[in-house]
Amino acid sequence: MQKILLGLLLLISPLFLLAHNPLSAMYRLETKNDGGVLHVFLTQAAVNKALVAIHGTDVMNTVSEKEFKELIVSYIKENFKLAINNVDIQLKKGGIRYGSHETDLTFITSEIPTVINNVALEITSFKNNEYHQTIFYLRKNDGTNEKIILNSKNNFKTKIDFEKKEDYSYFVISSIIAVAAIGLVMIGFKFRKKKLSH
């Protein structure tokens, strides 16, 4: 029993680490009929480090709470580029909640196509924080999720063509069916020959 509990704890521990990992940020986009909702989850340590690097310690020590929130919102908006089906997605109204460990933001986006064929994504916020990575989740209208990881290896940007992905899987499935059908036909011929020779 103890081994099972230990195994489960090791299995889910990365989820707890991600929530407060100063090296990671998480963006989650949910598509809606009239637009989308982007949720952004950041560690306060990463936010503080990035804003101090841009504005300096003196400025950050003197800003009001309202100004601090405005600086975070501006920083996220300025460092976020998303195009779906070659149409730029804009971040509109939003809200922010921050605490001593985590900062969460929510933005309403411009209209998102019902069918998503391709995505061009670039999120450069926090890229100057050493070993930083951004995890982006896209929840489509059909209920499927796409996970995209941005880091220094891909220069915090990527392009994905979902049409090609789907065509490839269709090709693989078709090939498997064709090979299976040919195999069955060959077995049928061998079985028939065996039967005729007796």
Side-chain angles (χ1 to χ4, degrees):
M1 184 66 175
Q2 286 179 335
K3 286 182 181 177
I4 292 170
L5 288 174
L6 181 63
L8 285 172
L9 184 63
L10 288 172
L11 189 65
I12 64 170
S13 61
L15 297 174
F16 294 112
L17 290 172
L18 178 61
H20 294 289
N21 183 356
L23 307 177
S24 295
M26 187 170 71
Y27 288 60
R28 191 176 73 230
L29 178 62
E30 297 172 4
T31 58
K32 307 284 181 185
N33 293 333
D34 55 347
V37 178
L38 178 70
H39 302 282
V40 183
F41 305 95
L42 313 168
T43 62
Q44 194 58 48
V47 171
N48 292 342
K49 187 174 180 182
L51 293 181
V52 164
I54 295 166
H55 302 287
T57 309
D58 292 341
V59 172
M60 294 311 299
N61 285 338
T62 57
V63 294
S64 67
E65 185 178 322
K66 186 183 175 192
E67 290 169 327
F68 183 68
K69 287 181 177 180
E70 286 170 357
L71 287 175
I72 297 171
V73 170
S74 295
Y75 179 68
I76 295 301
K77 281 185 164 186
E78 288 164 10
N79 290 281
F80 180 84
K81 289 180 186 172
L82 173 65
I84 296 177
N85 299 352
N86 303 314
V87 175
D88 289 336
I89 305 301
Q90 305 298 323
L91 298 184
K92 296 182 172 181
K93 291 186 292 182
I96 181 171
R97 180 180 65 81
Y98 75 94
S100 56
H101 295 293
E102 192 171 286
T103 295
D104 302 334
L105 299 97
T106 302
F107 295 98
I108 304 298
T109 73
S110 54
E111 193 173 342
I112 293 175
T114 307
V115 177
I116 298 174
N117 299 321
N118 57 67
V119 167
L121 177 67
E122 183 176 1
I123 303 175
T124 53
S125 48
F126 313 108
K127 76 172 187 177
N128 294 324
N129 290 1
E130 198 176 9
Y131 306 118
H132 176 78
Q133 71 170 3
T134 295
I135 301 164
F136 182 87
Y137 290 97
L138 172 62
R139 184 167 178 80
K140 298 189 205 170
N141 282 325
D142 63 5
T144 60
N145 288 297
E146 295 291 339
K147 178 182 175 183
I148 301 167
I149 296 177
L150 303 176
N151 53 36
S152 57
K153 289 178 183 174
N154 55 20
N155 202 24
F156 297 93
K157 61 183 175 182
T158 189
K159 289 182 181 178
I160 299 172
D161 193 334
F162 295 115
E163 283 182 315
K164 285 184 183 173
K165 244 172 120 177
E166 287 165 14
D167 288 345
Y168 176 74
S169 19
Y170 177 75
F171 173 76
V172 169
I173 291 167
S174 302
S175 301
I176 290 167
I177 291 169
V179 168
I182 291 167
L184 286 172
V185 169
M186 289 176 73
I187 290 168
F189 276 126
K190 280 188 178 181
F191 183 73
R192 192 171 174 201
K193 274 186 181 180
K194 210 173 184 182
K195 210 172 181 184
L196 289 171
S197 64
H198 287 298

